[in-house]
Amino acid sequence: MPLSKREQAQLDRRLVATLTEACETAKAEIVGFAWLTHLVDYTRFPSSLQVIWVFETRAAKEHALASGQGERMIELTALALQEADVELHPLAPHVQFDIEQRG
């Protein structure tokens, strides 16, 4: 059954709160990590959920992923989703890594 507008708003608030915690943790731990965001189409939830971790530069992203920090960000995402009562398995296809700079 589709989520009501009220349920969508409540869920989005929970996601924002828990993902914000994950973001702050990552900023303290991962050099070059800048921010994260999420995208979701609630008519196709939870399969449409995407969590995007954004780095300051391509070099910072490549260094973080090469040093195993991608797994840490997936772990932080899993913890955030668990706290928000969202089940999504497998999780890795719903996590993306991007950069701020272009060109």
Side-chain angles (χ1 to χ4, degrees):
M1 184 165 107
L3 297 172
S4 71
K5 292 289 185 188
R6 182 176 185 192
E7 291 168 324
Q8 290 176 22
Q10 291 171 339
L11 178 55
D12 204 59
R13 281 193 296 275
R14 285 197 316 266
L15 283 170
V16 167
T18 61
L19 288 171
T20 297
E21 286 181 39
C23 180
E24 293 305 317
T25 299
K27 281 194 217 174
E29 293 179 7
I30 302 168
V31 174
F33 169 71
W35 51 278
L36 68 78
T37 190
H38 72 286
L39 303 172
V40 65
D41 173 356
Y42 283 107
T43 63
R44 298 183 306 110
F45 184 80
S47 64
S48 66
L49 180 62
Q50 293 291 311
V51 176
I52 304 157
W53 294 80
V54 181
F55 289 86
E56 295 168 356
T57 65
R58 183 175 315 283
K61 173 186 159 187
E62 290 172 359
H63 180 266
L65 296 179
S67 64
Q69 294 299 320
E71 288 83 6
R72 175 64 175 146
M73 289 178 273
I74 290 172
E75 177 185 308
L76 289 170
T77 303
L79 291 170
L81 296 182
Q82 181 180 359
E83 288 179 35
D85 295 322
V86 175
E87 288 188 34
L88 193 56
H89 303 285
L91 179 58
H94 298 273
V95 177
Q96 299 174 25
F97 304 101
D98 203 354
I99 58 171
E100 287 185 331
Q101 76 180 26
R102 295 289 173 219

